[in-house]
Amino acid sequence: MDQEIPLPPPRRVRHRSPSKPLDQSLRAPKRPSRLSISSFPSSDPAFFSSDDIPSSSLENYHGQHPENSKKRRYRGTWWGEKAMEAKRKRADFREKRHLDSGVWMGSDESSSECLLSSESSSCDDFFGQAQQTTLPVVKSTTKSNGSEHGSGPAFVPRNTRKQDEPKAHQAARALVNDCLEQGQDSIDLSGLVLRILPSDLLRPLLHLTKQPPVTAGPVTDEVFTSLTPFLRVFLSANSLTQLTSELFELGNLKVLSLRNNKLREIPSAIRRLTELQEVNLSVNRLNTLPWEMLWLIRKGDLKHMIVQPNPLFSLHEATDIEQWHYGNRSDSITAPRLCEYEGPVPEEAWAPIHIATSRVQYMDSEGNRLSDIKSRQLRENTSRVPSLRELALLECNRAPYLDQFLEEDLTGYPELAIRLLRQATAVRDAGGMTCSICHRSCVIPRTEWMEWWDCTTYENGLKGPRASGAELRPLPFLRRGCSWGCVPTDQN
């Protein structure tokens, strides 16, 4: 028993008296609990770094070098800091708006540093820019190797287009808008002294609809159906020198008046107006008429055309007649009968009469006329395959930035290429050109000839047929072919 190891004494338990508090120094330290910290918020505000704010920048670092500096720490909650930042922006925005009288309106994305009152020294420059009546054309450029290259097309503000536009164009747009709002199908643009048709002037007429008037009952479902408008466009008493493709996009056009203008040629795109019934081309500078008008008479709905007075090429002045289809001018006995109708044949009494056809003129790929010797050699060439140059010009017309390319400085480019590209854009702006034989699109015609037809019955609006012995008044119709194989035949 003496060799046994004694046990340690039992732990002494001290009982605290309820009337006597325990000394704070004798209290054992208490381990922190995650539950207690996360569940019960502390009375002290939290600290967070500037990285928690999305709009933080280098100014949130102490010192000039951020890599050697410490981040700023904010006291409070991150959402409270964002709310204060929004209040500061609104206050700075009100201060800035009072300075410039509301000319400039800021956005929420702009930083508050650029709106400080310390930058009030630049207000004079801002007022000078705000007082300008017209804004300059903005074009983004990037410098590379000491030169400037445009990175995109020029941008013109919308509010400057109406200011720079002539008053005649503004008046024309106002008339078209009034007709659209009131549902009128008669567009009268006469006497506005228009030299060209402004862009997007007639294209809104594609959406013109007409509602039937409700005069008396009973009201049926047919009353609320849209009617096809009897569209009439009057462009008389202007100074038009050319027509745009927008005019030939109006598929519902019934009446077209181009009287008293300065037109020298009617584009072949008039063939697209298949519902055209009346056309007035008098008092212009036309030497020939497009063969497509004769096609509208024979295949379309054209019933009345007025083409006189015009300096049209007379048949009596023609010296290159290749074939006579009605009469023979070389015979002195039948020469007077050339201008008289021999009828009565019911078909010829109403229909146009083909009188004569001129000799075919051949052109090269540049549009230059070939000599008679070369033309005789080409009569044996019946190929209708388009050239590579023709295909390239047709493809260039589909390029969206061709007009901007031609407006730039083209020094150093081949003159022939520039001339052909300008001719291609002119044909495109006029509505395009089609071959009168195979009806394919082309830019440079390779053949050209004249046909004289008498359309007296259509000049008087089909009021009556020709009478026996009536005077014939042949009109010159110009035809073009896209290849050397597209020449007049008996079937044409």
Side-chain angles (χ1 to χ4, degrees), residues 205-221:
L205 298 178
L206 294 172
H207 309 287
L208 178 64
T209 58
K210 186 177 181 180
Q211 301 292 337
V214 181
T215 56
V219 178
T220 61
D221 295 339

Side-chain angles (χ1 to χ4, degrees), residues 306-367:
I306 304 175
V307 297
Q308 298 290 353
N310 265 307
L312 296 173
F313 192 66
S314 175
L315 178 60
H316 298 282
E317 301 175 358
T319 58
D320 57 345
I321 301 299
E322 182 74 17
Q323 183 180 3
W324 290 90
H325 304 273
Y326 193 89
N328 188 359
R329 191 177 180 182
S330 61
D331 190 355
S332 60
I333 298 177
T334 59
R337 299 177 61 184
L338 175 64
C339 299
E340 295 180 0
Y341 175 61
E342 296 178 355
V345 179
E347 292 79 8
E348 294 183 357
W350 289 94
I353 299 177
H354 191 188
I355 297 178
T357 302
S358 68
R359 188 165 50 248
V360 179
Q361 297 289 338
Y362 292 86
M363 277 80 71
D364 57 8
S365 59
E366 300 177 7

Side-chain angles (χ1 to χ4, degrees), residues 33-76:
S33 175
R34 293 184 180 180
L35 182 61
S36 61
I37 295 177
S38 58
S39 300
F40 302 97
S42 174
S43 59
D44 297 332
F47 287 91
F48 64 94
S49 174
S50 60
D51 290 344
D52 298 333
I53 302 177
S55 61
S56 61
S57 57
L58 295 178
E59 287 80 4
N60 290 313
Y61 288 85
H62 292 285
Q64 299 180 355
H65 302 283
E67 61 274 6
N68 300 327
S69 304
K70 295 182 179 180
K71 301 175 184 177
R72 291 183 180 179
R73 300 182 66 189
Y74 294 89
R75 184 184 298 273

